[in-house]
Amino acid sequence: EVKLLESGGGLVQPGGSMRLSCAASGFTFTDFYMYWIRQPAGKAPEWLGFIRNKANGYTTEYNLSVKGRFTISREKTQNMLYLQMNTLRAEDTATYYCARPLTTTGWFAYWGQGTLVTVSS
Amino acid sequence: DIQMTQSPASLSVSLGETVTIECRASEDIKNGLVWYQQKPGKSPQLLIYATNRLHSGVPSRFSGSGSGTQFSLKINSLQSEDVASYFCQQCDDYPYTFGAGTKLELK
């Protein structure tokens, strides 16, 4: 069974940093692109970016809305996905999800339960 | 970025009725349209991918159609467990973008 479990959310001050983690299990982690998506309360999800699989060199792509502030990485041996967030702003307040596509890449068939990040002083 | 316009924003529904939700893309996304269902406090769940392909375990009362820029999700004989929010998403080009959502509420 595919499982994704995010952690690391909480309250952070504007301008601060936070690292989110996503523990993956139930599938061959290195075979899949992995994605981060966020969703402000009551609003639509927003795709943040992804990290490619081993076959494609673990390279990354980002939404321009977070490029330069957010960094996606993965720890291959421990099946962990990370989202490093810097220079946080109030508008970054949201529930953050990691997600896995149905096949190597594409639409999001599997989502974690999410972790809430609140940026406030 | 490709803009996804979803309508209506909310819909008051009765059990047993047929519901249709529309999604329009700002440019041709071929058949790269996905639908998710989301219940309060839960993560989105994949319903339909590639415009009209039902994800595993999704009831057959759900169906998707369309191509190019116009797409729709249809729910036949609405059940109580279908009362939720629905989002469309394009996966034709990065950044993947979502519609603003449609919230179903019981009359």
Side-chain angles (χ1 to χ4, degrees):
Chain A
E1 180 189 3
V2 173
K3 288 186 179 179
L4 301 170
L5 183 63
E6 302 92 342
S7 61
L11 177 64
V12 60
Q13 291 191 337
S17 297
M18 180 173 278
R19 189 176 84 153
L20 304 182
S21 301
C22 170
S25 62
F27 62 100
T28 304
F29 186 61
T30 53
D31 284 351
F32 293 86
Y33 289 35
M34 292 297 297
Y35 294 77
W36 284 99
I37 300 151
R38 69 182 178 187
Q39 186 176 27
K43 296 189 177 181
E46 178 187 22
W47 175 90
L48 298 179
F50 67 90
I51 185 165
R52 292 180 175 88
N53 57 6
K54 180 179 180 181
N56 288 282
Y58 297 126
T59 53
T60 53
E61 301 289 345
Y62 298 94
N63 193 321
L64 287 178
S65 64
V66 301
K67 191 172 184 179
R69 294 194 301 127
F70 289 13
T71 302
I72 298 172
S73 61
R74 61 198 294 172
E75 169 51 56
K76 304 172 284 296
T77 59
Q78 296 186 8
N79 291 358
M80 294 293 295
L81 176 72
Y82 301 103
L83 179 66
Q84 176 67 43
M85 304 184 293
N86 298 328
T87 319
L88 283 162
R89 308 163 180 162
E91 54 265 37
D92 295 318
T93 295
T95 297
Y96 284 72
Y97 298 98
C98 61
R100 198 211 89 174
L102 185 63
T103 56
T104 304
T105 181
W107 41 87
F108 312 124
Y110 303 96
W111 298 63
Q113 87 291 345
T115 187
L116 178 62
V117 173
T118 303
V119 184
S120 175
S121 55
Chain B
D1 298 0
I2 297 173
Q3 304 303 313
M4 304 301 293
T5 303
Q6 192 174 335
S7 62
S10 63
L11 198 53
S12 185
V13 299
S14 300
L15 298 181
E17 78 173 83
T18 297
V19 172
T20 301
I21 300 169
E22 307 283 345
C23 190
R24 186 180 77 248
S26 60
E27 57 188 82
D28 187 350
I29 59 170
K30 293 88 172 176
N31 73 334
L33 197 283
V34 183
W35 291 98
Y36 300 93
Q37 177 193 70
Q38 187 176 30
K39 297 183 178 178
K42 301 293 186 181
S43 56
Q45 299 294 307
L46 178 65
L47 287 177
I48 289 173
Y49 61 93
T51 300
N52 56 17
R53 301 189 68 177
L54 223 58
H55 183 48
S56 176
V58 175
S60 59
R61 62 180 178 272
F62 290 91
S63 63
S65 63
S67 66
T69 62
Q70 297 279 356
F71 301 87
S72 62
L73 171 70
K74 186 177 178 182
I75 310 172
N76 286 316
S77 187
L78 188 86
Q79 304 296 300
S80 57
E81 60 266 32
D82 303 334
V83 177
S85 293
Y86 293 84
F87 295 94
C88 63
Q89 179 222 327
Q90 66 83 15
C91 56
D92 180 67
D93 194 20
Y94 293 119
Y96 289 171
T97 45
F98 291 81
T102 296
K103 185 175 182 180
L104 301 188
E105 296 172 315
L106 281 177
K107 286 181 181 174

